[in-house]
Amino acid sequence: MDGFFPLETGRRKTLKAAIGCVGTGLHSGRRVRLTLRPAEPGTGIRFRRSDIGLELPALYDHVVDTRLCTALGIPGEGADRRIGTVEHVMAALAGCGVDDAVVELDGPEVPILDGSAAPFLFLLDCTGLIAHGGGAVPAEAIEVLRPVRVTEGEGPEAARAELSPFPGDRLEASLTIDFANTAIGRQSLSLRLTPQAFRDGLADARTFTLAEEVARLRAMGLAQGGSLANAVVVDGPLVLNPGGLRRPDEFVRHKLLDVVGDMALAGAPLRGRFTGHRSGHALNNRLLRALFADRANWRAVPGPVLGEGVAPRLPAAAAAAVA
């Protein structure tokens, strides 16, 4: 199981060897081959589309679409030069403590597999992790120094997300969801996001949708690859999947899984507390943009078991704020 648990050496970690799989894109419906590859120290997580020669950093300021997934691209370029549905593999990489890796695809979207992060976790378990050599770039983190909040809507039930200071070397996360649909309803979950908590509490929670939304999504060109094999489908009080739910609160667990993947686009692990109410990909991304908009909101700190550190590999906007 050494592939999952971070090697607490204070050094950056990558994969021992390349490993891959083949699956279907949730929204595109296309067959896609994914390969996770080791990367040089300090390069961070990068996504590469081998079919069109596109490579993008896994950073919040490269998020160009948040409709039912998180998609990376170059602002101003066409929709054909994007990489969609990155949040589940990003959550798995973050949960495993991977600092440097290449996610290579031969299509426009990360395959959905079973709709959770568990298959990506399995791949990482199979290949294992390794710490870069002693002379390599050390591990780093981003400490939240003061509360930052974004909202959507008005009143007590407005969607909101907040990052605030919190003692410790991990991200604490608390999320509430609230759906009128009776099979989902209102659910809450709080976790200290350790590797074990991610494995036990979030990794196998699947994406979900409402039965009445499926036709509308497909008319919009979305959910072309969706099925009961890769998503929980709810119709009123019923869960349509033959096997039912993996957990009674699988819905909020998956939404918190999405938070982990979206927050991983900060470019380094966050230290603080995330609090969300009805938060989704769009609000999560707005929260990171708000965090890095003001240098007084955060500071770079050493990673685990490390006496000295260097600044995280941050997006250009955040790096400029440091200068």
Side-chain angles (χ1 to χ4, degrees):
M1 301 270 279
D2 65 331
F4 177 77
F5 294 100
L7 311 172
E8 300 290 353
T9 63
R11 289 182 280 158
R12 297 176 69 91
K13 292 161 283 286
T14 191
L15 284 67
K16 289 182 178 178
I19 192 168
C21 65
V22 176
T24 301
L26 175 63
H27 296 300
S28 66
R30 286 181 51 177
R31 179 183 179 276
V32 180
R33 179 177 297 277
L34 173 143
T35 305
L36 300 176
R37 299 188 181 279
E40 292 299 312
T43 55
I45 309 298
R46 299 187 68 85
F47 284 79
R48 177 185 299 157
R49 277 190 62 178
S50 60
D51 58 326
I52 61 173
L54 176 68
E55 186 163 321
L56 299 168
L59 295 171
Y60 73 89
D61 62 347
H62 278 68
V63 172
V64 293
D65 196 352
T66 52
R67 292 181 306 159
L68 302 178
C69 75
T70 296
L72 300 175
I74 300 174
E77 292 201 358
D80 58 337
R81 292 182 59 79
R82 294 181 179 179
I83 298 172
T85 319
V86 304
E87 59 271 17
H88 300 166
V89 69
M90 283 300 300
L93 291 166
C96 289
V98 177
D99 300 291
D100 304 303
V102 173
V103 183
E104 186 175 278
L105 309 161
D106 65 359
E109 185 180 11
V110 175
I112 191 64
L113 302 178
D114 78 342
S116 77
F120 301 114
L121 194 58
F122 174 76
L123 293 177
L124 293 168
D125 279 347
C126 288
T127 190
L129 303 184
I130 188 170
H132 289 298
V137 177
E140 63 265 339
I142 297 165
E143 181 181 1
V144 179
L145 297 179
R146 62 183 187 179
V148 177
R149 172 183 278 209
V150 292
T151 61
E152 183 177 304
E154 298 180 355
E157 290 306 304
R160 57 188 180 272
E162 178 176 307
L163 282 168
S164 56
F166 196 84
D169 62 354
R170 305 280 181 181
L171 181 67
E172 304 276 336
S174 179
L175 181 66
T176 298
I177 64 173
D178 196 355
F179 285 77
N181 188 286
T182 54
I184 304 174
R186 188 180 183 97
Q187 298 183 350
S188 297
L189 182 66
S190 296
L191 283 177
R192 181 173 183 259
L193 292 169
T194 65
Q196 192 66 54
F198 179 81
R199 174 181 284 274
D200 294 343
L202 301 181
D204 68 347
R206 296 164 293 173
T207 192
F208 60 92
T209 190
L210 308 182
E212 62 264 29
E213 292 290 303
V214 172
R216 182 183 67 85
L217 293 174
R218 289 183 170 165
M220 296 169 58
L222 301 171
Q224 302 299 307
S227 72
L228 294 178
N230 55 40
V232 176
V233 181
V234 172
D235 187 3
L238 304 176
V239 173
L240 301 186
N241 302 65
L245 296 174
R246 291 176 174 174
R247 304 162 188 264
D249 60 349
E250 186 171 1
F251 305 105
V252 71
R253 290 180 185 274
H254 183 78
K255 286 292 190 179
L256 197 53
L257 169 65
D258 282 345
V259 167
V260 174
D262 288 341
M263 292 298 105
L265 296 174
L270 291 169
R271 292 185 180 179
R273 181 173 180 82
F274 172 93
T275 306
H277 176 73
R278 300 176 61 196
S279 180
H281 298 302
L283 212 56
N284 295 341
N285 185 249
R286 281 180 53 201
L287 181 60
L288 285 184
R289 291 176 185 269
L291 175 71
F292 289 114
D294 190 333
R295 184 61 180 84
N297 293 336
W298 60 275
R299 67 176 177 179
V301 295
V305 198
L306 186 64
E308 297 180 0
V310 298
R313 184 179 171 277
L314 298 171
V322 181

